[in-house]
Amino acid sequence: MRKGSRFVIVGNGIAGISAAYAIRRINKEAEISIVSEEPHPTYSACMLPHYLSGDISRERVFVREFPDYLRERVRLIASEKAIHLDMERKRVSLETEAIDFDKLIVATGSIPAIPDIRGTGKKGVFTFKSLRDADGVCRWRGCTAVVIGSGLIGVEVALGLKRKGYRVFLMEYLD
């Protein structure tokens, strides 16, 4: 790894920030940029159900703060979306700029699977993957919830909603 290598990390979750900090430990001179669609510093998605239930405050989901990036000399490009990768030129295009890289890490995580059920686009239907999703569910005022998905996240969301006083139905889409 060259001392002045340019790293671009697409994704500011735990994987992305961990990669940036690991690079910094090994290479003090590297240029490191993290591209994130979200406007905030890294947070723990595992803590979102606890925020939803009211067990912790919104502030406690964050594992990094903006000054942490500056201290580690990591450029956070927040509220930006990577829209094109040119692997030949080693360039990632964002909505407002293009960044050249020597090494690229894509750490964007997964996308929630939304079942093909009529009505999933209506008001009051949420996914639960990001802080924005959790904020939306927290703002919603209701008394009954149907949670589709009995994996770890679905169960934790159902329990969080139950603690908030909702009547909760947990359904599994798969066999």
Side-chain angles (χ1 to χ4, degrees):
M1 185 172 3
R2 289 191 348 244
K3 284 289 182 196
S5 295
R6 297 168 301 176
F7 290 85
V8 172
I9 301 167
V10 180
N12 187 38
I14 299 298
I17 197 72
S18 296
Y21 278 52
I23 293 164
R24 179 58 69 225
R25 276 193 307 276
I26 295 168
N27 187 337
K28 303 293 183 202
E29 304 304 317
E31 292 178 31
I32 304 170
S33 298
I34 296 178
V35 178
S36 176
E37 285 186 56
E38 297 188 85
H40 11 259
T42 302
Y43 58 87
S44 171
C46 296
M47 298 303 284
L48 294 178
H50 304 288
Y51 159 53
L52 169 65
S53 71
D55 291 342
I56 66 167
S57 67
R58 187 179 191 274
E59 293 75 34
R60 292 215 24 227
V61 302
F62 294 99
V63 296
R64 295 284 181 254
E65 296 179 7
F66 289 116
D68 297 328
Y69 296 85
L70 294 173
R71 188 172 33 260
E72 292 296 324
R73 295 183 354 266
V74 172
R75 178 181 178 212
L76 174 60
I77 305 166
S79 300
E80 278 282 354
K81 185 175 184 176
I83 55 174
H84 184 261
L85 290 177
D86 185 335
M87 296 307 289
E88 257 183 51
R89 293 168 128 172
K90 293 191 168 189
R91 174 175 287 170
V92 63
S93 297
L94 311 179
E95 294 167 318
T96 61
E97 67 178 293
I99 307 169
D100 295 325
F101 60 84
D102 297 307
K103 303 285 183 182
L104 173 70
I105 297 172
V106 178
T108 54
S110 63
I111 297 169
I114 300 172
D116 188 21
I117 299 172
R118 190 175 61 241
T120 56
K122 291 187 175 186
K123 192 174 180 184
V125 177
F126 302 92
T127 56
F128 200 85
K129 177 73 176 147
S130 69
L131 182 56
R132 180 182 356 192
D133 295 338
D135 286 340
V137 176
C138 285
R139 282 191 300 271
W140 185 258
R141 296 294 167 235
C143 56
T144 303
V146 175
V147 177
I148 300 175
S150 63
L152 182 61
I153 294 170
V155 170
E156 287 193 357
V157 168
L159 290 171
L161 289 167
K162 188 77 174 157
R163 281 196 292 280
K164 286 183 82 156
Y166 278 73
R167 182 174 176 214
V168 179
F169 297 89
L170 179 62
M171 302 175 71
E172 177 53 53
Y173 184 67
L174 302 174
D175 290 342

